[in-house]
Structure formats: C-alpha cells, structure tokens
Amino acid sequence: MAIGEAISADGTAIVYRSAGPAAGRPLVMVHGWAADLRCWGGAADDLAERHRVIAVDLRGHGYSGAPASGYDDPKNWAADIAAVLAAEGVESGAVLLGWSYGGIVISDYLAAHGAGAVAGVVYSGSMANIGRDVPGAETGPTLLTAMPGVFEESAGRAVRAFGGFGDANTGSGGSGVDAQRLFGASLATPPAVRKALFYRSVDNTEMLRALDIPVLVLHGTADPVVPVANGRYIAQTAPNVRASFWEGAKHGLFLEDRDRFVTEVSAFVAGL
C-alpha cells in the first residue's frame, strides 16, 4: 500500500492510496460527499487482492487540498481524476468506480476528457447529474431532512444533523464501526466544503448517451440518500449498461453486503 499525491490543474493537491498488484487493472475508487478514501472499509482491501486499487480523497476531503472556491466548476473535478491517472501512469484500461457524489465526479471527468483511458465505469448508489430540475438528479429524503444542519459550523447542530442519517449509509449489514468511520469523515470535512458541493448544476446526459464503454449500475431500491431513480436514469441512458438493483438495500452497498459488492464489481471488471 502506498500514499500518493497528484497536483490538479488549479494547483490543488489530490491525495490517493494505491494497493494491489502493480500489473492489475487500475480500479479508481471515488468516494461521495463528506467522506474520504477510507470509507470503502474492507471492500477496497478485497478488491485489491486482484486489482490495482487507487482510492482517491476528493478535493476538500480527507488529506487532499481544500481550496476556498472552485467546487462549482466541473472542469476542476475532471482535472482531479486526470491528475491521479497521470500520476499513476494510467493511460488506458482503467475502471472508474464512483459512490454517491463520486458518480458525478467521474462523469465530469468523462465529459471533459472522454473514455480514452477508461475501459469501464461503475456507478454505486450514485448519480451522473446534479442540480434543481436536472434529470437523474433527485435528492433523497434523508439528505433533504439533514439540510441545512449538515452545513452548520456549530458542532452540536452538525452532529445532530449527521446523526439523522442513521443506518442510511450502512444498511442493516453495516457495523457501528462503519457508521462511526463515515460520521467522522463527514465531520472532518469543512462545513464550507460540504455546502459548496451542492452549489452547482451539471447535466451529463449527453456524455452518458455517447459513452462507448461498458457501465455497471449498482443501486439499492431503498436508498434514502440518492434515490434509485437516479441509478435507473443512468441505466436507461447509457448504451452499454448492466444494472443490479438490490432489493431493500440502502446507500453504502459496499458496507451493507461487502461480499456481494466485491463479487459484482470483480465480475464486471473481469468481463472487460
């Protein structure tokens, strides 16, 4: 396991962790809003047994740089992923896996840079678009209820707001340790960053329609954070899609059923 740092186009340092066989297919794992590269838990370790796993800290999260502005610009998010791929010398064959907000980020990358370096894409509990009245960009009831408390600088208010997520991220299969790790990462993300990520509107529908590589959609039918309708939108829009909708599952599928998540992702990667 190694920690790396890539410098994005605007000078922001993007930190990532790589693990697994150097000759394995690169699997770039991009976490969601107010999380960090540790959110994947044991699923990342399992995937690293056969793949070259590159887990990224998004700008403003974890150990990556947190610029004062620029979170509303898709080009910045796209450049962050491009910088990591370049730092790792990945020019082709990568698989991009985005969870939650991470799906928007990998979509930003594909819209800006195309799929020349990418062999496949995985959207897990995710969306490709964001913004009011943008298709495929619904916000779930748990997140709506948590706002605006999750943007608070007051520790007490923020803790209570995040506590309202309950088991939305971990589902019935996740542990209390998993939940605490996610809550810790959320609270460690600066409140201004938590808020800034929602101040943008992006429609990547045309990118999805033109995508000429395989796509895997994994989504829980009871996801209260990113509604399953968003996953269905991706599945209905991209031309080469395999979708797996988990009946009754919630938002963090890699925590709710780690073995199933690893099996389905690995099977998709092996079939590329």
Side-chain angles (χ1 to χ4, degrees):
M1 183 182 299
I3 301 295
E5 181 180 274
I7 303 302
S8 193
D10 68 345
T12 300
I14 304 299
V15 173
Y16 61 91
R17 182 177 67 191
S18 60
R25 184 185 291 277
L27 175 61
V28 182
M29 302 179 72
V30 185
H31 66 76
W33 169 80
D36 62 26
L37 61 77
R38 296 173 299 173
C39 74
W40 306 100
D45 298 330
D46 292 346
L47 289 165
E49 291 181 6
R50 64 177 69 180
H51 310 300
R52 179 182 166 194
V53 170
I54 303 168
V56 179
D57 267 343
L58 290 176
R59 60 174 52 220
H61 299 71
Y63 286 101
S64 287
S69 62
Y71 299 96
D72 59 342
D73 189 344
K75 292 180 181 178
N76 286 334
W77 298 101
D80 295 349
I81 302 302
V84 171
L85 292 176
E88 283 294 294
V90 178
E91 297 180 350
S92 64
V95 175
L96 304 181
L97 191 164
W99 173 50
S100 197
Y101 201 97
I104 305 170
V105 174
I106 63 176
S107 298
D108 290 337
Y109 168 81
L110 291 166
H113 296 277
V118 182
V121 184
V122 182
Y123 291 94
S124 180
S126 192
M127 54 218 282
N129 300 337
I130 186 171
R132 189 186 300 272
D133 299 325
V134 175
E138 294 182 23
T139 302
T142 295
L143 187 55
L144 286 172
T145 300
M147 294 178 180
V150 290
F151 305 145
E152 287 277 359
E153 292 188 3
S154 163
R157 294 192 187 101
V159 167
R160 287 192 293 274
F162 277 112
F165 278 85
D167 70 347
N169 286 319
T170 58
S172 59
S175 69
V177 174
D178 292 327
Q180 289 186 53
R181 183 173 64 251
L182 291 175
F183 287 143
S186 295
L187 291 168
T189 305
V193 173
R194 297 178 214 153
K195 191 173 185 178
L197 264 65
F198 289 97
Y199 281 166
R200 68 176 178 134
S201 181
V202 177
D203 188 344
N204 284 310
T205 298
E206 291 307 311
M207 179 280 294
L208 288 173
R209 287 178 178 153
L211 205 55
D212 60 355
I213 55 175
V215 175
L216 173 64
V217 173
L218 305 175
H219 217 116
T221 62
D223 190 332
V225 181
V226 176
V228 67
N230 296 337
R232 295 191 191 281
Y233 184 80
I234 296 170
Q236 293 163 2
T237 304
N240 185 2
V241 179
R242 181 160 65 86
S244 177
F245 296 110
W246 297 20
E247 189 62 36
K250 295 188 177 180
H251 191 46
L253 302 181
F254 49 90
L255 298 175
E256 187 158 356
D257 192 336
R258 169 178 163 182
D259 291 341
R260 179 177 176 182
F261 179 84
V262 170
T263 296
E264 294 195 11
V265 171
S266 295
F268 173 74
V269 175
L272 295 173

